Amino acid sequence: MSKEYSKKKSDGATFTPDLLASFLAERILLYYSITDHNKSIRINDPACGDGALLKAMAESLVKKNISFSISGSDKDATSLSNTQNMLDSLFPNVSKELEHKDFIAERFDNLFSSVIENDIIIANPPYVRTQILGADYAQYISHLYKLSGRVDLYYPFLINMTHSLKPGGIIGVITSNRYLTTKSGASIRQFLYHNYNILEIIDLGDTKLFDAAVLPAIFIGRKKTSKTMDVQPLYRSVYQLHNWKESGSEETFESIYDLLNENKAGTFRINDKLYEVKNGTLKADRTGADVWQLKSGDNDELITTIETHAYGKVADFFKVRVGVKSCADDVFFTRNYTPIRPEDEWFRSLISQENIQKWLISDDLQEVIYPHFNASGKKDVLDIDKFPRAKAFFNTYEDRLKERKYLLKSKRKWYEYWVPQNATLWGLPKVVWADISSEPRFAYDHSDAIVNGNCYWICASNEEEENLLYLIMGIANSRLMEYYHDSKFNNKLYNGKRRYLSQYVEQYPLPDPSSEESQKIIILVKSLLCNKSQDNSTVTIELENAVRHSFGFKD
């Protein structure tokens, strides 16, 4: 059964590599204490797949001479049969109960539930958005678990696993790390925070322990009882370092698991790659719903210093908007509008991720169809009957566009964008940035170009607000704010890229706009925008210093 790499499950989940399964099993048993040595404990994996986690847990219990029984379930009959055969072969004298079922098809927290409570749950539940499970099933699961918005299938798994775990029992799960920092993860963060004494969180980041494009995290918790006391949860993260100048003095480890077992922090080498490990504790608000942060001395000092000297946040001055979303980009964003090209009134330039540089927008913008316009200060939609070529063009795609049932249900025209944004704002000065980027790229634009849905933007309606745009650009593009972003939100993706979602950028702190340092930042940003063809390295250094000074840091 040994596998060097993970395999994809047909339902969107991934099988767990053997080394990761063994690591998780050992971490769980660090926290599980046996008070009655004659007792047989029940271990469970409700999405057992190929059985790697149950096998690893069983092997660890055998080493510790602890009696146990095995239970589990899975929707895939073939995987379940293979797991049964494997476990029967390796542990012939151990009681096993494996079921072919959908673990989340019914809730386990109702009054008449007869769920058998488990002592230990070890799992790697499927990661897949409920929105792509199929409309009927997604709607059923969302209604059953009272979920809404961008939730993931592992949310209901976590809820059901909790209700099938004994008070005082231990859960150890591998999930996507998205729930730690995203707005959509607030409900499951709150659920976990109130139902568990959280013992350990390990954000495994871009360590590529799975073949699939997954950024995993480990959660280990003890289900609360009336007697359990809250503990200070450990929080660790490990991410690959990119564009890092190697010193050659980094300590070397054979694997990520060897490194994590040492509980060390710093920069380490594994084969030809460098990784940064941070160790700290979990920082959460009293509800558990806010973004979960890694609390450490260095992080806390940086965040506290910046926030102490902040006058406000971006959200205090501007509404952060996402770009337009058509839900039919193959129609509106095609690069070939022949043989029937709509009239010129239907076209606008589009700012997309690839057009955004730090400070400025490139000149090679794509031309796209945009049916919305500014009618005396109000957003309106072009009348297709007044434009024969546009009508002919859209009639070609009528069936495709009318597939967007949600748009028609809202009584809007079938050839509109799903999210057009306010067409009256496009001509205003604006700052645009990419959703995903390896470095901050906040750029100024004063054309009437629209912004793609893979970007975010803010706009100014007067001179005072425009100066605030320059201030925000200077802060957001700085190295200091890059460090703040990582320390506060910890949302790195693969290859050192970050998410610059509205929920993060709207929380960026700003110094007093009227202060001497803020006015200096505004002047320096204007200089960078005006002198784009010159060597601005001196101005950039001066700007970085001004940003640091504005938040109370000294040279």
Side-chain angles (χ1 to χ4, degrees):
M1 283 277 310
S2 178
K3 293 176 287 298
E4 292 298 323
Y5 303 104
S6 61
K7 301 176 295 182
K8 283 189 176 182
K9 286 185 182 178
S10 60
D11 59 5
T14 55
F15 286 148
T16 310
D18 288 345
L19 289 176
L20 179 56
S22 298
F23 174 79
L24 177 56
E26 291 298 324
R27 296 306 298 181
I28 289 173
L29 288 183
L30 285 177
Y31 299 103
Y32 191 85
S33 60
I34 304 293
T35 55
D36 181 357
H37 290 278
N38 294 319
K39 171 189 173 185
S40 177
I41 68 171
R42 179 184 171 94
I43 64 174
N44 177 267
D45 180 353
C48 59
D50 67 348
L53 287 167
L54 287 173
K55 171 177 173 285
M57 194 77 246
E59 288 174 340
S60 295
L61 290 167
V62 168
K63 289 178 186 177
K64 296 181 181 296
N65 199 29
I66 298 172
S67 179
F68 63 94
S69 63
I70 295 173
S71 63
S73 59
D74 203 277
K75 287 175 64 176
D76 184 73
T78 301
S79 294
L80 196 70
S81 176
N82 292 338
T83 295
Q84 181 82 56
N85 293 335
M86 178 268 293
L87 293 175
D88 284 342
S89 173
L90 294 174
F91 311 101
N93 299 319
V94 173
S95 173
K96 306 171 197 69
E97 184 182 342
L98 300 181
E99 296 183 85
H100 177 216
K101 70 175 185 179
D102 184 343
F103 180 72
I104 59 171
E106 59 179 299
R107 287 182 68 116
F108 288 170
D109 59 342
N110 64 72
L111 182 62
F112 305 103
S113 175
S114 58
V115 176
I116 299 174
E117 294 180 324
N118 300 292
D119 297 282
I120 291 176
I121 292 179
I122 182 170
N124 172 19
Y127 320 153
V128 54
R129 293 276 178 85
T130 56
Q131 290 90 334
I132 61 173
L133 291 173
D136 292 341
Y137 185 73
Q139 188 175 17
Y140 170 69
I141 293 298
S142 296
H143 175 75
L144 184 64
Y145 289 89
K146 298 179 174 60
L147 300 170
S148 61
R150 291 188 166 189
V151 299
D152 202 296
L153 194 59
Y154 65 85
Y155 291 11
F157 263 91
L158 287 168
I159 294 170
N160 258 10
M161 285 190 284
T162 300
H163 293 301
S164 66
L165 182 67
K166 286 183 178 179
I170 301 291
I171 190 172
V173 291
I174 305 165
T175 68
S176 161
N177 68 2
R178 281 181 53 82
Y179 80 94
L180 297 171
T181 59
T182 59
K183 188 177 293 185
S184 62
S187 61
I188 202 64
R189 286 194 297 270
Q190 191 169 27
F191 177 85
L192 295 173
Y193 193 78
H194 286 283
N195 283 278
Y196 288 97
N197 292 123
I198 301 173
L199 302 171
E200 186 170 1
I201 295 171
I202 307 176
D203 180 0
L204 293 166
D206 61 347
T207 48
K208 298 182 177 65
L209 299 180
F210 291 90
D211 270 355
V214 174
L215 286 90
I218 288 173
F219 175 93
I220 302 175
R222 178 180 286 110
K223 187 174 178 179
K224 286 185 177 180
T225 70
S226 58
K227 297 180 180 179
T228 53
M229 300 289 290
D230 285 335
V231 295
Q232 187 65 55
L234 299 178
Y235 195 138
R236 296 191 287 167
S237 72
V238 51
Y239 280 81
Q240 185 180 346
L241 286 173
H242 301 270
N243 302 318
W244 181 267
K245 185 176 181 181
E246 301 180 21
S247 67
S249 61
E250 294 82 13
E251 189 174 354
T252 300
F253 287 88
E254 290 295 319
S255 72
I256 291 292
Y257 310 106
D258 293 334
L259 171 55
L260 289 172
N261 281 325
E262 289 292 323
N263 291 321
K264 292 185 175 183
T267 303
F268 305 96
R269 181 185 301 280
I270 299 174
N271 297 323
D272 59 344
K273 297 176 181 176
L274 291 178
Y275 294 88
E276 181 181 30
V277 178
K278 294 182 179 179
N279 290 339
T281 57
L282 171 63
K283 182 178 180 181
D285 69 344
R286 61 185 180 82
T287 70
D290 203 2
V291 169
W292 286 1
Q293 298 176 28
L294 189 154
K295 177 181 172 66
S296 68
D298 291 342
N299 279 6
D300 277 3
E301 184 178 356
L302 177 74
I303 293 171
T304 300
T305 300
I306 290 175
E307 293 182 350
T308 299
H309 289 84
Y311 176 84
K313 301 175 182 177
V314 168
D316 296 329
F317 300 95
F318 296 102
K319 177 180 179 179
V320 175
R321 306 169 191 273
V322 72
V324 298
K325 296 179 184 293
S326 73
C327 296
D329 288 357
D330 53 324
V331 176
F332 294 99
F333 291 7
T334 181
R335 293 183 181 273
N336 181 12
Y337 296 100
T338 57
I340 307 170
R341 176 184 169 86
E343 291 79 0
D344 290 345
E345 290 90 336
W346 290 77
F347 287 91
R348 297 286 282 272
S349 296
L350 177 75
I351 298 172
S352 197
Q353 282 201 15
E354 59 270 20
N355 306 119
I356 300 175
Q357 305 163 0
K358 185 175 283 192
W359 309 116
L360 293 166
I361 305 295
S362 65
D363 296 328
D364 55 339
L365 301 185
Q366 180 183 348
E367 186 182 52
V368 298
I369 292 176
Y370 181 73
H372 308 270
F373 70 102
N374 177 4
S376 302
K378 294 182 179 181
K379 181 180 66 177
D380 207 341
V381 185
L382 293 169
D383 184 351
I384 198 171
D385 290 324
K386 295 180 179 179
F387 298 90
R389 294 207 308 273
K391 186 172 184 177
F393 173 84
F394 279 111
N395 282 342
T396 305
Y397 298 99
E398 184 172 0
D399 291 342
R400 165 75 178 86
L401 295 177
K402 285 186 175 179
E403 290 175 0
R404 303 176 301 162
K405 304 294 186 184
Y406 38 80
L407 194 145
L408 299 180
K409 286 179 181 179
S410 62
K411 301 187 185 305
R412 294 164 60 191
K413 293 181 172 59
W414 57 271
Y415 55 87
E416 289 190 47
Y417 277 33
W418 172 233
V419 180
Q421 291 298 355
N422 190 339
T424 66
L425 303 178
W426 291 124
L428 298 176
K430 54 185 177 282
V431 170
V432 187
W433 62 94
D435 171 12
I436 299 174
S437 180
S438 57
E439 64 172 0
R441 289 184 289 141
F442 290 75
Y444 178 83
D445 177 69
H446 198 175
S447 70
D448 63 352
I450 64 174
V451 177
N452 199 350
N454 59 18
C455 306
Y456 293 88
W457 59 292
I458 54 179
C459 63
S461 59
N462 55 52
E463 185 177 354
E464 181 181 359
E465 289 187 350
E466 187 171 3
N467 280 330
L468 280 174
L469 291 185
Y470 298 133
L471 176 63
I472 289 171
M473 286 180 65
I475 300 295
N477 277 332
S478 70
R479 293 283 291 170
L480 181 66
M481 197 51 51
E482 189 175 350
Y483 296 143
Y484 177 86
H485 185 111
D486 290 345
S487 300
K488 182 84 171 179
F489 309 121
N490 192 37
N491 68 344
K492 284 186 179 178
L493 303 174
Y494 284 111
N495 300 321
K497 295 184 184 299
R498 301 174 181 84
R499 297 298 302 269
Y500 287 91
L501 301 172
S502 56
Q503 72 176 83
Y504 304 134
V505 176
E506 66 187 10
Q507 297 301 312
Y508 276 16
L510 298 174
D512 185 348
S514 64
S515 69
E516 181 179 342
E517 291 298 336
S518 291
Q519 292 300 308
K520 185 175 182 179
I521 291 169
I522 292 169
I523 292 170
L524 291 169
V525 170
K526 288 181 178 179
S527 175
L528 286 171
L529 297 177
C530 292
N531 302 313
K532 59 182 179 180
S533 61
Q534 299 179 14
D535 180 2
N536 287 308
S537 56
T538 302
V539 178
T540 301
I541 293 172
E542 193 176 352
L543 177 59
E544 291 284 354
N545 289 332
V547 170
R548 289 180 57 79
H549 295 163
S550 70
F551 287 110
F553 292 93
K554 307 299 180 183
D555 289 333

